[in-house]
Amino acid sequence: MDKTDPEPHITCGAEISIKHLLLECRQFNKERAKHNIPSSI
């Protein structure tokens, strides 16, 4: 963990963040649906 800007997510080009990975990234749509993870927390 440092103060550099995060790299863009390879799959979609968005800035990587916990929120992005858990709620927004298309790469994990099936996993979110499988585990009934809501689209907002």
Side-chain angles (χ1 to χ4, degrees), residues 3-35:
K3 295 185 181 212
T4 61
D5 291 333
E7 294 292 321
H9 191 217
I10 294 170
T11 302
C12 58
E15 184 176 298
I16 293 179
S17 68
I18 300 300
K19 178 183 175 187
H20 172 71
L21 294 176
L22 291 177
L23 303 176
E24 301 169 346
C25 187
R26 297 182 310 256
Q27 179 180 0
F28 301 109
N29 283 343
K30 288 181 184 179
E31 287 80 3
R32 283 192 293 274
K34 177 181 174 182
H35 298 287

